[in-house]
């Protein structure tokens, strides 16, 4: 850029061009440690039940390392989207954000712990989770949302039930 006087013919020297690019917010890492909830974690919430039963499954995962710090700063908010299905392709799955909603047949126990109810005994179920990072600029109020990839799926079997194989009385047995 050069400046020129309105009156006269003096011209300034060329200025140095400066280019700058702001760094983008990186996508968060996928949650680690996804699996059946630890009994100690359930007890820490003041509850007392096994993680897996014949009609429900309770899953948990580890919070993102920066999740604790983000709560204090107020500009970053971490949440988690969980997907649960009875098939590996996740067709007709249950999917929701553990911070802002739930779904029928799912109970949010904690930000990183969910119990799925109304399941069939001795059946495989599949679950996966992803992290969602929402950054809010304190000056402008603008928000940027970044998501991680889903974790690898985890297969969990419900327990067997006593009535599962019971066909009732059989008159043909001698």
């Amino acid at each position: 850029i050069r400046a020129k006087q309105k009156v006269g013919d003096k011209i300034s020297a060329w200025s140095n061009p400066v280019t700058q690019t702001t760094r983008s917010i990186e996508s968060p890492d996928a949650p680690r440690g996804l699996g059946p909830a630890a009994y100690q974690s359930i007890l820490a919430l003041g509850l007392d039940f096994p993680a897996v039963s014949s009609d429900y499954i309770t899953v948990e995962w580890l919070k993102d390392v920066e999740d604790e710090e983000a709560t204090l700063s107020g500009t970053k908010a971490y949440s988690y989207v969980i997907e649960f299905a009875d098939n590996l392709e996740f067709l007709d799955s249950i999917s929701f954000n553990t911070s802002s909603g739930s779904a029928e047949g799912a109970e949010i126990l904690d930000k990183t712990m969910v119990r799925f109810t109304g399941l069939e005994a001795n059946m495989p179920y599949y679950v996966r989770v992803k992290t969602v990072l929402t950054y809010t600029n304190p000056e402008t109020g603008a928000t940027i949302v970044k998501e991680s990839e889903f974790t690898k799926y985890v297969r969990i079997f419900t327990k067997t039930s006593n009535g599962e194989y019971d066909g009732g009385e059989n008159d043909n047995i001698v």
Side-chain angles (χ1 to χ4, degrees):
I1 297 175
R2 290 172 76 168
K4 181 180 175 193
Q5 290 181 328
K6 286 187 177 186
V7 179
D9 58 351
K10 288 192 176 182
I11 299 174
S12 71
W14 286 98
S15 65
N16 291 333
V18 176
T19 59
Q20 185 174 4
T21 305
T22 57
R23 293 185 324 185
S24 177
I25 295 175
E26 294 182 17
S27 295
D29 294 330
R32 296 173 298 132
L34 174 63
Y39 184 64
Q40 292 295 356
S41 299
I42 295 170
L43 288 176
L45 296 175
L47 304 170
D48 189 8
F49 57 84
V52 179
S53 174
S54 62
D55 63 347
Y56 68 83
I57 293 174
T58 308
V59 297
E60 74 171 335
W61 57 94
L62 299 175
K63 273 188 179 178
D64 190 288
V65 182
E66 296 182 13
D67 194 353
E68 296 295 332
E69 299 166 14
T71 305
L72 300 175
S73 72
T75 57
K76 288 182 180 179
Y78 283 82
S79 59
Y80 302 94
V81 173
I82 187 165
E83 192 170 18
F84 184 81
D86 61 359
N87 59 75
L88 190 54
E89 293 81 21
F90 287 89
L91 302 173
D92 297 325
S93 64
I94 298 171
S95 180
F96 59 92
N97 190 313
T98 61
S99 295
S100 62
S102 66
E104 187 177 334
E107 178 184 358
I108 300 172
L109 303 175
D110 190 36
K111 188 175 185 179
T112 59
M113 188 183 300
V114 177
R115 179 167 54 180
F116 296 95
T117 58
L119 307 178
E120 293 182 38
N122 200 27
M123 294 287 294
Y125 290 92
Y126 302 87
V127 63
R128 60 186 182 180
V129 182
K130 69 179 173 181
T131 306
V132 179
L133 168 62
T134 305
Y135 174 79
T136 304
N137 185 328
E139 296 172 7
T140 64
T143 60
I144 299 172
V145 178
K146 295 285 188 167
E147 296 182 356
S148 71
E149 295 292 323
F150 273 108
T151 59
K152 300 277 187 201
Y153 70 87
V154 175
R155 181 176 65 181
I156 304 170
F157 279 85
T158 50
K159 300 272 185 186
T160 58
S161 98
N162 292 337
E164 185 175 359
Y165 303 107
D166 186 9
E169 296 294 320
N170 190 340
D171 296 332
N172 295 327
I173 296 179
V174 181

